[in-house]
C-alpha cells in the first residue's frame, strides 16, 4: 500500500453484480461466500468450510424442503429470504418439530445486483436467528441472464420432533382453529407486482407459526394435526387433509377473518379469499374438549384466531363451507393456477 | 363408466407439458405427485403425504445441500437426476457419512415436456435406490417460460457419520490419492452441448464414490479427509483444502490419469484437465504408512486410481504440480468461469 495513489483493489472487489464465475466453485464463489454469505449466516458449521455439516441430532428428526420463486423478491411485510425461513420453520412445526438447522441453495441469475443478494441473505439470516435455527450448509449456482429470475432459493430444514402431528390423526368431532386472517400473503405479493391497485395496503402475513404450535404442545392440548395453508389457501389445505384423513370438514365461512384490503382485492379480481395463500397462518385440529382452551392460547399470538369448523364422518372426504345466509357450498382443491409464484 | 363410448378422461390427463398450475399446490400439483413423483421415488415417508418426513437418525448426522443446473439435462453417462444423487451422496461420503435420506426440490419451467421430467425423476429415483438412499420429502415450483431452463434441482442429503473426515485433519506427510481419471464429466457435458466436436466420445464419470470412501473406512485405513473434485476440478479442490488445512500440497502431474478424449478436447479448447470438473472421483488424504494399502483398495473400484502427491508444510498453502520434464508450477483456484453450468 502506498500513500501516493489509490490502493490496489482486492480481487473481484469490482464486481457489483452476479457473474457466472460466482457459481463456478473457484475464486469468485469463495469471495461471495466469505464476504457475503458467511456474514449473513455465520454458524460454527459454515466455518468448517467442508462439503457439509455434521450435526448431533437427538431422537426423531423432521426434515422438510421447499423451493422459493416468489416474484417480486421484496413485498410489503417480507421478502424471499425471510419467506424461505418461515416456510420451512412452519413446515417443521406442522410435523411437531422445532427447527434446529437449515440448508440454503441459491440459484442466481447472472446480472443480479450483489446488493440485492446481500439484502436477501441478510433477511434470511435474521429470520433464521429469530427462529433459533442455524444455517449449516449452502450452495450457489449461477445461470445465464434470461435463464432465471434474480434469485431462487431451495431451503431444507431439520428439527427435533416434540409431538406426533399428522393428517392421519384427524378424527371426526375434532375442531378446526385458524390462527389468524386469511389471504394476506397472496394479495400482498400480487399488489407488489403493481398490476392491480386497491385503496388500502395489504401486508404479507409471513411469520413463523412454530411458537403457536409449540405453545399448544407445551400446554398439553390434544392437538392431532397442524397445517399451514400456503399455496391454494385454507380451502386447498383442508381438502388435502380431508382426503388424507378420509374425513369430511365443515367450516363456517363467516368465522374466517378476512381483512378489508384482502376483501377489496379479492372482489376486484374475482378471487375467493379461502383460496389465497397465507405464509404465517396455521390450521389446527384439536379435540372438542380442548377447543376453547386451545383457542385462548392461539389468541394470545393473534386476536383474529378463530374456531372455524369441525371434522365430520364422510367417506367422500368433502369439505363444505356454510355461508352467511346458511347456504352450504363444497370447497374443492384449487383447480388451475390462481396466483402463480407467490412463494 | 359406460360401454357406449369413451370413458371420461381423468382430470388433467391431457397435460403433456408442465403448466404453472403444476406448481400451484392444487389439483395439478397433486396429480403430478401422485402419477409421476411417487412412482419414481416411492418411500414410506412420501406416502404419509405430510409437510415433511420424520426420521429416526442415530448418532452424528451429516447434512449436505447442492443445486443442480446442468445444461443440457442429458449427457453421455448421466443426466441431471442421477447427477443430483451422486453429487449429494458423494458430499456425504466426504463427511464420512453414508447417505440415508434425500430431499428433492424441483424448479420447473413452464412448457417442459412431462416425459422429460419423468425421465429425470426416474433416473434420480434409480440412482437413489442404487445408493440405498430414500427420497423422503420434495417440492415443486413452476416458473414462467423464459424464467428457467427446463429443470433445476436442489437436493439435500442426510447420512450417518461413520468417521470424522475433515480438511482440518490434513497433515504434512500424508499422501494424496485420486480415485480415477480427471475431467471426464466437464468435457462430456461440453460435448453434449454440441458446440465442439472431437474425434472420440467422452462419457461423464458421474457415479457414487461413497463405496470407495466407506471401503477405506471398513479397512481401517488412516484416512483424514476426502473431497470430490467437482466445479474447478482437482486443482481447485486441492487449493481449497490446502488453504483450510494451512498446508502445502505437491502433486506429480504425470500421475493424474487423463483419457485421450479429455486430452484432445482440452487441447482444442485451451483447457487444463486439472481444472475440469469430475462428478465421480475423490481425492483421499491418507497417512504415508497406509498409502499403498489404501491405493490397492481404491484400485479395486477403478484401475486408474493413483497416488498423485503429498502434503507438505507450507504457511502459504501453495499447491504445486511437477510436470513431466521436472518443471514445477503453482496451481491456483479457478479464476473466472471455465465451463458454466456443468453441474
Amino acid at each position: 500500500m502506498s500513500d501516493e495513489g489509490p490502493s490496489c483493489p482486492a480481487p473481484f472487489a469490482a464486481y457489483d453484480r452476479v457473474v457466472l464465475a460466482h457459481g463456478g466453485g473457484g475464486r469468485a464463489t469463495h469471495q461471495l461466500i466469505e464476504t457475503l454469505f458467511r456474514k449473513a449466516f455465520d454458524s460454527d458449521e459454515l466455518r468448517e468450510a467442508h462439503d457439509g455439516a455434521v450435526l448431533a441430532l437427538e431422537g426423531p428428526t423432521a426434515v422438510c424442503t421447499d423451493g422459493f420463486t416468489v416474484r417480486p423478491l421484496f413485498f410489503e411485510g417480507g421478502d424471499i429470504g425471510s419467506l424461505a425461513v418461515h416456510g420451512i420453520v412452519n413446515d417443521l412445526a406442522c410435523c411437531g418439530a422445532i427447527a434446529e438447522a437449515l440448508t440454503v441453495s441459491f440459484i442466481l441469475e447472472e446480472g443480479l445486483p450483489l446488493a440485492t443478494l446481500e439484502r436477501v441473505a441478510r433477511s434470511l439470516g435474521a429470520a433464521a436467528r429469530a427462529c433459533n435455527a442455524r444455517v449449516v450448509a449452502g450452495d450457489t449456482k449461477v445461470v445465464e441472464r434470461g435463464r432465471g429470475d434474480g434469485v431462487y432459493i431451495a431451503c431444507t430444514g431439520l428439527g427435533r420432533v416434540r409431538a406426533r402431528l399428522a393428517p392421519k390423526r384427524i378424527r371426526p368431532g375434532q375442531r378446526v382453529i385458524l390462527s389468524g386472517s386469511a389471504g394476506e400473503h397472496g394479495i400482498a405479493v400480487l399488489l407488489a407486482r403493481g398490476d392491480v391497485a386497491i385503496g388500502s395496503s395489504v401486508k404479507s402475513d409471513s411469520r413463523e407459526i412454530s411458537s403457536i404450535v409449540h405453545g399448544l404442545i407445551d400446554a398439553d392440548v390434544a392437538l392431532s394435526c397442524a397445517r399451514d395453508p400456503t399455496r391454494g389457501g385454507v380451502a386447498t389445505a383442508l381438502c388435502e387433509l380431508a382426503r388424507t384423513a378420509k374425513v369430511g370438514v365443515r367450516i363456517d365461512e363467516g368465522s374466517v377473518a378476512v381483512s378489508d384490503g384482502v376483501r377489496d382485492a379479492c372482489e376486484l379480481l374475482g378471487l375467493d379469499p379461502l383460496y389465497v395463500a397465507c405464509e404465517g397462518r396455521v390450521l389446527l385440529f384439536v379435540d372438542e374438549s380442548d377447543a376453547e382452551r386451545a383457542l385462548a392460547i392461539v389468541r394470545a399470538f393473534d386476536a383474529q384466531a378463530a374456531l372455524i369448523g369441525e371434522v365430520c364422518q364422510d367417506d367422500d372426504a368433502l369439505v363444505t363451507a356454510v355461508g352467511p345466509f346458511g347456504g352450504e357450498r363444497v370447497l374443492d382443491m384449487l383447480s388451475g393456477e390462481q396466483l402463480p409464484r407467490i412463494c
Side-chain angles (χ1 to χ4, degrees), chain A:
Chain A
M1 301 275 171
S2 115
D3 290 323
E4 269 139 9
S7 63
C8 189
F12 299 96
Y15 283 153
D16 63 352
R17 288 180 179 269
V18 168
V19 296
L20 287 171
H22 281 125
R27 271 178 184 284
T29 306
H30 281 260
Q31 207 219 13
L32 191 68
I33 292 170
E34 278 161 29
T35 61
L36 197 153
F37 290 131
R38 212 165 290 168
K39 270 187 204 160
F41 308 140
D42 195 37
S43 73
D44 289 346
E45 287 83 0
L46 291 179
R47 276 191 297 271
E48 279 292 310
H50 200 8
D51 270 348
V54 176
L55 307 175
L57 300 166
E58 279 171 39
T61 300
V63 52
C64 301
T65 196
D66 256 327
F68 296 87
T69 61
V70 65
R71 181 175 56 86
L73 299 174
F74 304 93
F75 46 85
E76 196 66 46
D79 59 72
I80 192 171
S82 54
L83 185 67
V85 172
H86 296 153
I88 290 298
V89 167
N90 293 352
D91 279 354
L92 287 170
C94 291
C95 294
I98 286 192
E100 295 195 1
L102 303 175
T103 69
V104 181
S105 176
F106 285 98
I107 296 177
L108 306 177
E109 186 184 8
E110 182 187 21
L112 176 78
L114 279 179
T116 305
L117 179 61
E118 186 161 17
R119 199 175 146 200
V120 168
R122 280 177 188 274
S123 168
L124 196 158
R129 280 188 295 277
C131 295
N132 292 314
R134 307 187 310 286
V135 176
V136 298
D139 183 59
T140 308
K141 293 290 188 299
V142 180
V143 296
E144 302 87 344
R145 224 178 270 266
R147 299 284 179 185
D149 201 2
V151 182
Y152 298 145
I153 297 177
C155 193
T156 300
L158 300 173
R160 187 168 47 86
V161 177
R162 297 182 64 224
R164 281 288 186 158
L165 306 181
K168 287 175 183 166
R169 292 191 52 215
I170 298 173
R171 295 276 175 275
Q174 290 176 342
R175 296 296 191 261
V176 186
I177 294 171
L178 177 61
S179 69
S181 51
E184 262 114 335
H185 177 72
I187 298 300
V189 170
L190 200 68
L191 295 178
R193 288 185 196 153
D195 301 338
V196 223
I198 57 167
S200 39
S201 81
V202 175
K203 193 174 157 184
S204 165
D205 51 68
S206 175
R207 60 159 285 185
E208 59 83 22
I209 52 82
S210 186
S211 42
I212 298 176
V213 172
H214 291 288
L216 293 173
I217 294 171
D218 289 340
D220 222 8
V221 162
L223 176 68
S224 60
C225 181
R227 174 65 61 96
D228 51 336
T230 56
R231 290 178 288 178
V234 168
T236 301
L238 289 175
C239 289
E240 282 175 19
L241 295 172
R243 189 190 279 194
T244 307
K246 299 187 177 65
V247 296
V249 177
R250 199 160 182 254
I251 68 166
D252 167 20
E253 203 165 340
S255 64
V256 176
V258 178
S259 73
D260 290 343
V262 169
R263 202 171 292 284
D264 291 351
C266 283
E267 276 176 14
L268 190 71
L269 297 161
L271 298 174
D272 180 340
L274 289 179
Y275 285 90
V276 181
C278 311
E279 287 288 345
R281 303 291 180 238
V282 61
L283 289 161
L284 301 153
F285 292 77
V286 292
D287 283 2
E288 186 189 354
S289 55
D290 260 0
E292 287 298 334
R293 193 164 70 93
L295 180 63
I297 293 169
V298 182
R299 282 210 167 135
F301 292 93
D302 189 329
Q304 294 199 288
L307 275 166
I308 65 162
E310 64 184 347
V311 181
C312 47
Q313 204 142 15
D314 182 354
D315 291 342
D316 296 330
L318 282 189
V319 178
T320 58
V322 179
F325 307 109
E328 194 164 355
R329 61 178 175 130
V330 172
L331 300 179
D332 203 350
M333 278 196 190
L334 180 63
S335 190
E337 177 58 311
Q338 189 193 52
L339 301 172
R341 295 184 56 189
I342 48 79
C343 64

